[in-house]
Amino acid sequence: MMRFIKIALGLGVLGYCLVLAGVVAGQRSLVFYTYDTGGRLDLPSGQAIEGGRRVEIVTSDGERLAGWYLAPKRKDGVVYLFFHGKGGGLERKKWRWKRVKKRGDGVLAFSYRGFPGSTGSPSESGLFEDARAAYGWLAKKHRPNRIVLHGLSLGTGVAAKLATEVKPRALVLEAPYTAIVDVAADRHPYFPVSLLLWDQFRTREFIGQVKVPILIAHGTADTIIPFSHAQELYRLAPDPKKLVAMKGSDHNTLVRDGLYPHIWEFLDNLDDPGGS
């Protein structure tokens, strides 16, 4: 009997180690959901950012990022630098772009390295570098006080990190996390994810360094990232800040449920230190 128990335990440990090795080897496919589009940015003109144009952004380490740029039409319009989530999917966000365009604002939406149309492979440090390059490209066309950093899900950590290095008009975090490693630990408590995860995106550790107004919007019924993450980030964030709790909204329904009027109200109530 003891021999049987030892064998069973040994097989269990072996199985656990094999599963753990598989998770470690494939972890970036879980954090970054890239998909092959044959090198093109799958964002058809006229269907997504109508009136926008395709642009290419070159990073400091030589990667080429595909993006779409729509200039603002209002004299005092802002330009959103949009940081997408883990699945990319810029072509699926046409209703977001329509709202931005209708208000007369602009947007620069780009694919991180390794995502559709862009070269390279994604990593935490790589995405931070992509953010710097995209901001640099946009800052050549617009004053910082006209640029709004807007991160969605995975992109909230990228946008927040950039906001510790530059001073745009504001930072918008849509369905954010305290850290990717926190989300992973909650989902996989049987793995030592804090020791094994390469790309941890610890927003909670640097959001206190942000020097611009912060809007945090999160659905109270979010099934991907719990609302408690937004509450904790709000607690850690410096003033001025605002938390919008969208009652009953899930992770991907904030735009449909009225996110942009909250953003516009927030921005309209800010002082404009640099003029238009």
Side-chain angles (χ1 to χ4, degrees):
M1 180 61 70
M2 287 301 298
R3 183 181 178 186
F4 175 78
I5 292 174
K6 290 180 179 179
I7 292 175
L9 287 174
L11 290 175
V13 170
L14 178 61
Y16 175 84
C17 291
L18 290 174
V19 171
L20 184 61
V23 170
V24 171
Q27 62 178 276
R28 281 197 165 139
S29 65
L30 300 176
V31 176
F32 312 106
Y33 178 62
T34 60
Y35 49 98
D36 183 22
T37 60
R40 74 182 189 280
L41 178 60
D42 194 10
L43 190 61
S45 178
Q47 296 182 25
I49 305 182
E50 185 177 357
R53 63 182 177 89
R54 171 75 178 264
V55 300
E56 183 177 83
I57 301 165
V58 181
T59 68
S60 64
D61 55 349
E63 302 298 351
R64 297 182 177 274
L65 311 179
W68 282 80
Y69 169 69
L70 174 71
K73 298 301 181 183
R74 293 189 297 132
K75 179 182 178 181
D76 58 346
V78 300
V79 182
Y80 298 94
L81 178 52
F82 185 76
F83 301 88
H84 65 71
K86 66 174 288 185
L90 295 178
E91 74 283 357
R92 298 191 299 273
K93 295 177 173 55
K94 63 180 181 179
W95 297 112
R96 181 187 295 274
W97 315 135
K98 285 179 180 293
R99 286 169 169 83
V100 170
K101 182 180 179 181
K102 185 176 181 180
R103 181 170 164 84
D105 291 335
V107 63
L108 171 60
F110 68 99
S111 276
Y112 308 132
R113 61 185 64 203
F115 281 79
S118 299
T119 63
S121 299
S123 67
E124 181 177 7
S125 60
L127 266 60
F128 290 161
E129 196 57 44
D130 295 346
R132 297 180 186 108
Y135 182 84
W137 188 94
L138 198 57
K140 292 178 180 179
K141 297 179 176 294
H142 303 279
R143 297 179 184 178
N145 69 300
R146 299 263 66 87
I147 298 175
V148 175
L149 307 185
H150 184 167
L152 166 65
S153 193
L154 171 66
T156 60
V158 185
K161 179 62 174 177
L162 180 62
T164 68
E165 303 173 6
V166 298
K167 197 171 182 180
R169 183 166 181 76
L171 170 66
V172 176
L173 302 179
E174 178 182 346
Y177 47 80
T178 55
I180 288 292
V181 68
D182 295 342
V183 178
D186 288 342
R187 293 183 183 178
H188 308 288
Y190 35 81
F191 291 141
V193 294
S194 63
L195 300 176
L196 302 174
L197 194 63
W198 300 327
D199 309 292
Q200 301 201 0
F201 291 94
R202 294 174 176 262
T203 309
R204 52 178 160 76
E205 293 186 358
F206 51 76
I207 194 168
Q209 303 170 32
V210 175
K211 304 300 183 183
V212 299
I214 303 172
L215 174 67
I216 300 173
H218 209 112
T220 60
D222 195 315
T223 55
I224 305 297
I225 301 174
F227 178 63
S228 58
H229 283 243
Q231 292 175 304
E232 177 62 9
L233 285 180
Y234 179 76
R235 185 186 70 82
L236 295 171
D239 291 321
K241 59 186 176 181
K242 182 177 181 180
L243 173 63
V244 175
M246 300 188 65
K247 188 175 181 180
S249 294
D250 203 345
H251 194 71
N252 295 311
T253 68
L254 299 183
V255 172
R256 182 200 69 187
D257 297 340
L259 170 65
Y260 275 90
H262 289 293
I263 295 176
W264 297 331
E265 180 183 13
F266 177 74
L267 295 177
D268 288 345
N269 288 332
L270 295 180
D271 292 330
D272 187 350
S276 60

